[in-house]
Amino acid sequence: MELYGDRGFENTTVAEIAERAGVTERTFFRHFADKREVLFGGSGALKEQMVAAVAGAPVSAPPIEAVAAGLDVLVAVLGERRDFSRRRRAIIAANAELRERELIKLALLASAMAAVLRTRGVAEPTASLAAEAGMAAFRVAWERWTGEADEANLPQLIRESLDELRAVTGSGGS
């Protein structure tokens, strides 16, 4: 992250990353397919955890509340790593390829949650709409959390985004 921040993603080599980490390039490639994965590694495990959380939501939970359970996993993973998340966001924002990769990751997470909603008996297009809307609410909250100077925490911002979504759609409940 420091190298990407100092030198830019494009100007940072795998050799430099490996040297900074105190490992060989071969060891680097045992852990990461390429230098992008330093920023996106763990996406598969994250998806599995989110899917499990959506699947484990109470049967009576409306689709958006089941999706909110999946978003709670993102909060747990990100934790209090606001400064790290801000640096990561800036690095991704500065590179079109990384922005595209981030959007693909978010789309895959939404697709996985929609699939779980369908196994819970939620019909289309409701399953896809709930998952996509939930990810949009997360994205808005995450951008606020990584971009604002206020002290609001990520779970609070996600709740506010979901509440705004409910207000926009005219649905009640929290």
Side-chain angles (χ1 to χ4, degrees), residues 50 53-54 57 62-75 113 117 130-131 134-135 158-159 162 166 174:
M50 290 179 71
V54 173
I64 196 68
E65 296 306 322
V67 168
L71 298 180
D72 288 342
V73 169
L74 287 171
V75 169
M113 288 193 296
L117 289 174
M135 287 308 298
I158 290 173
R159 282 191 303 276
L162 289 171
R166 289 180 191 100
S174 12

Side-chain angles (χ1 to χ4, degrees), residues 92-111:
I92 290 170
N95 181 282
E97 176 188 348
L98 296 177
R99 287 191 308 271
E100 179 181 21
R101 176 70 171 85
E102 179 80 346
L103 290 173
I104 290 168
K105 180 187 87 174
L106 295 174
L108 290 172
L109 293 174
S111 178

Side-chain angles (χ1 to χ4, degrees), residues 113-131:
M113 288 193 296
V116 174
L117 289 174
R118 287 189 296 274
T119 66
R120 290 172 54 96
V122 177
E124 281 298 339
T126 304
S128 291
L129 286 169

Side-chain angles (χ1 to χ4, degrees), residues 8 12 14 16 41 69 83-84 95 99 104 106 116 151 162-163 173:
T12 302
V14 169
E16 292 168 326
D83 289 336
F84 173 86
N95 181 282
R99 287 191 308 271
I104 290 168
L106 295 174
V116 174
E151 293 304 313
L162 289 171
D163 288 345

